[in-house]
Amino acid sequence: MSKKAKLGIYIGVTAVLLIFLALTVTSSISLITEKLDERNWGQSIEDYDYDLYEGEYDSMRSSLSLHQPEGEEFDLYWNVADAYRYYSQYSFWTLAREQGLDGADEAARYRGLLLSVYEKSDAQAREIIEGFAGELVQ
């Protein structure tokens, strides 16, 4: 084989390897950027959506509290999680009052907080809150 043929093969193989390397680096950068964006939210929106639609409001609140995501895209999750927390506390203090313990003031306080969150929520959040709080917010 002549020197020109060997040089041509060498240049061809090198070019293919360089193209493969460039594609690999580009793909890696894209994946890393996506993961960094996801870490800024603490987890993906899909995870919050899963908790929201499965009714896992305590789990969602734990994730929100841990990662503290900010921005309008998280208002729905924060509002529902806060409303559920206040509803749970209201239910606890109402039950305590029914059992003869002094809990009227606490129950009223948590109902007020629940109503406050409900009033500032958008239609989607209100619908979800109505699903667990029912007549308390209507």
Side-chain angles (χ1 to χ4, degrees), residues 4 33 40 42 104 109 122 136:
K4 283 187 176 183
T33 303
N40 288 340
R109 183 169 81 90
D122 66 6
L136 280 176

Side-chain angles (χ1 to χ4, degrees), residues 1-66:
M1 191 178 277
S2 71
K3 285 185 176 183
K4 283 187 176 183
K6 286 182 182 178
L7 181 61
I9 292 172
Y10 175 75
I11 291 174
V13 169
T14 303
V16 168
L17 290 176
L18 286 174
I19 290 171
F20 179 73
L21 178 64
L23 291 173
T24 303
V25 169
T26 304
S27 177
S28 296
I29 289 172
S30 175
L31 287 172
I32 289 170
T33 303
E34 185 179 309
K35 286 297 180 187
L36 288 175
D37 286 344
E38 197 172 285
R39 285 181 190 251
N40 288 340
W41 293 352
Q43 67 184 101
S44 70
I45 287 282
E46 290 82 16
D47 292 334
Y48 291 119
D49 280 339
Y50 177 81
D51 286 341
L52 185 69
Y53 292 107
E54 289 296 318
E56 299 291 333
Y57 309 124
D58 285 329
S59 174
M60 185 173 66
R61 178 155 182 69
S62 295
S63 295
L64 289 166
S65 296
L66 177 65

Side-chain angles (χ1 to χ4, degrees), residues 88-116:
S88 296
Q89 289 295 314
Y90 168 82
S91 298
F92 172 82
W93 287 107
T94 299
L95 182 62
R97 186 181 64 216
E98 290 170 2
Q99 299 293 324
L101 301 174
D102 185 26
D105 292 341
E106 290 298 316
R109 183 169 81 90
Y110 283 109
R111 182 167 189 257
L113 291 169
L114 171 63
L115 289 172
S116 175

